[in-house]
Amino acid sequence: MYSTSSKDEVVIKIVGKLTQEFPEMNQIKVRNIVEEVLYKYNVTPTETALVTSDVEEKIQLYLAVKKLDGLSAKTLKNYEYNLIILASHLRKPLATITAMDLRMYLSVRCKEMKPSSMNAQISILKSFFGWLCDEEYIPKNPTKKLKQTKEPKRLRHALTDEEVELLRQACKTNREKALVEFLISTGCRLSEVVGINKEDINWYDMSLNVIGKGNKERKVYFSIKAKILLKKYLETRKDDNQALFVTIRAPHGRMGGRSIEREIQKIKERAGFDKSVYPHLFRHSFATHNINSGMPLQILHI
């Protein structure tokens, strides 16, 4: 669990106060100076910070509401993990937490994070404190003053027809061939692929319904080639697991997101690619190909 020493807290507070008074100062330089001065000193708080039991209670209430709103178990687990870290750091009543408290918390929590990860932390805080304010558990929302960090724009280059063919040829097992062809032809999200069962598939019209973001159901179609490879893969299986894709080793459990990512990585390395290849790139390539082929964006419900 995340924690910080009393000395670190003092350094952060001193730098924070000085920044308010002298906005143009070099924060890194000042921080280094303060840390150097305090190096040989032990710092202890004069009183124990208030610990309130309502923080954990409100976190659980918030998560229960978000679960009803349709958030995935993975997202809820991520929210809970990060909010518990916040609770362990800011040991004070929720109603007394200020924007400055959150800025100081983020300066430590996000010290080594990329802008995208930092923005994810800010989004979690905004969602939680926004809900607390809406439900009138706190008088005002301290996250209103928090600003998202600018992220560098990166172009995601879709797979070319040649690259797709090289990936196909790099597949060795029936499972690899079926998985790659299924990703290519459906454009499914990784979480959707993980959740598919054999009984979900309509072999007659080569379609299936998947549960996507926000617990929304949509229909996707796959190619004849994907149908042939899927059937060939399923015929070789000797397990009774309902999942469409399962692990190689017994007891042949459902393949998780990380397992599928590792599988794609192995295939990519065999194909000799320099570019990054991951499951979501197939989805992006699927959308790009269909749009370039003239399909209206309104019809492409992905």
Side-chain angles (χ1 to χ4, degrees):
M1 184 169 285
Y2 175 82
S3 63
T4 185
S5 68
S6 297
K7 189 181 292 185
D8 287 337
E9 289 181 4
V10 170
V11 171
I12 291 168
K13 288 176 181 177
I14 291 173
V15 174
K17 289 289 185 182
L18 288 172
T19 302
Q20 285 181 294
E21 295 295 327
F22 311 103
E24 302 300 321
M25 77 173 195
N26 187 323
Q27 290 188 31
I28 296 176
K29 188 174 182 180
V30 171
R31 180 174 184 140
N32 290 337
I33 292 171
V34 174
E35 287 178 340
E36 185 179 341
V37 171
L38 294 178
Y39 179 72
K40 293 184 179 180
Y41 294 88
N42 289 321
V43 180
T44 55
T46 56
E47 59 181 28
T48 304
L50 283 172
V51 180
T52 57
S53 59
D54 76 319
V55 179
E56 285 77 11
E57 178 190 344
K58 295 300 184 294
I59 290 173
Q60 294 307 316
L61 281 172
Y62 165 76
L63 294 172
V65 170
K66 289 301 173 184
K67 185 175 182 180
L68 292 174
D69 288 344
L71 265 65
S72 68
K74 184 178 179 181
T75 300
L76 290 170
K77 188 175 181 180
N78 179 49
Y79 276 31
E80 182 177 27
Y81 172 76
N82 285 287
L83 289 174
I84 287 175
I85 290 174
L86 172 72
S88 69
H89 180 81
L90 295 178
R91 290 189 168 278
K92 57 191 300 188
L94 280 169
T96 66
I97 293 175
T98 65
M100 183 54 68
D101 289 329
L102 297 178
R103 287 193 187 103
M104 292 299 100
Y105 162 72
L106 289 169
S107 70
V108 177
R109 176 83 175 113
C110 305
K111 190 176 179 181
E112 304 295 332
M113 289 185 182
K114 296 178 180 178
S116 58
S117 299
M118 186 184 301
N119 286 337
Q121 293 293 320
I122 294 171
S123 294
I124 292 172
L125 295 181
K126 282 183 173 291
S127 178
F128 178 56
F129 282 95
W131 174 80
L132 288 171
C133 189
D134 291 342
E135 296 293 323
E136 299 182 349
Y137 288 122
I138 57 176
K140 60 181 182 179
N141 183 356
T143 63
K144 278 190 173 182
K145 295 180 181 179
L146 297 183
K147 304 294 183 184
Q148 294 275 348
T149 303
K150 287 186 178 180
E151 298 181 33
K153 292 184 179 180
R154 293 186 176 89
L155 293 175
R156 186 187 295 157
H157 298 288
L159 291 165
T160 64
D161 291 342
E162 182 180 345
E163 288 171 334
V164 168
E165 194 56 39
L166 286 171
L167 286 170
R168 286 185 175 122
Q169 292 181 15
C171 294
K172 289 184 176 180
T173 67
N174 288 322
R175 187 181 70 172
E176 288 178 351
K177 292 174 184 176
L179 176 60
V180 166
E181 201 61 43
F182 187 79
L183 288 169
I184 290 168
S185 65
T186 63
C188 280
R189 294 182 177 89
L190 178 60
S191 60
E192 293 169 347
V193 177
V194 170
I196 295 171
N197 293 326
K198 291 180 288 187
E199 63 184 19
D200 296 334
I201 297 179
N202 183 329
W203 296 105
Y204 179 74
D205 65 358
M206 296 183 293
S207 69
L208 69 154
N209 292 333
V210 294
I211 306 300
K213 279 188 175 181
N215 209 31
K216 292 179 181 178
E217 188 174 349
R218 64 191 180 90
K219 194 169 189 177
V220 298
Y221 295 87
F222 51 90
S223 64
I224 293 175
K225 190 171 185 178
K227 176 182 178 179
I228 294 169
L229 292 173
L230 280 170
K231 284 200 166 187
K232 189 173 182 181
Y233 161 61
L234 292 173
E235 286 169 2
T236 62
R237 281 176 46 182
K238 304 190 184 305
D239 62 272
D240 56 0
N241 195 305
Q242 63 178 348
L244 180 60
F245 294 104
V246 297
T247 56
I248 294 174
R249 295 179 182 176
H252 307 292
R254 181 185 297 272
M255 280 188 81
R258 294 296 295 275
S259 296
I260 293 176
E261 287 173 339
R262 284 195 293 268
E263 196 87 338
I264 297 300
Q265 184 65 22
K266 285 192 298 183
I267 297 167
K268 170 247 181 182
E269 288 172 0
R270 279 193 226 120
F273 281 12
D274 291 328
K275 71 187 293 182
S276 179
V277 179
Y278 42 91
H280 199 79
L281 186 60
F282 288 95
R283 178 172 166 77
H284 174 69
S285 303
F286 170 83
T288 302
H289 174 75
N290 281 283
I291 290 170
N292 290 341
S293 299
M295 182 180 287
L297 190 59
Q298 294 85 350
I299 297 176
L300 190 63
H301 294 296
I302 65 167

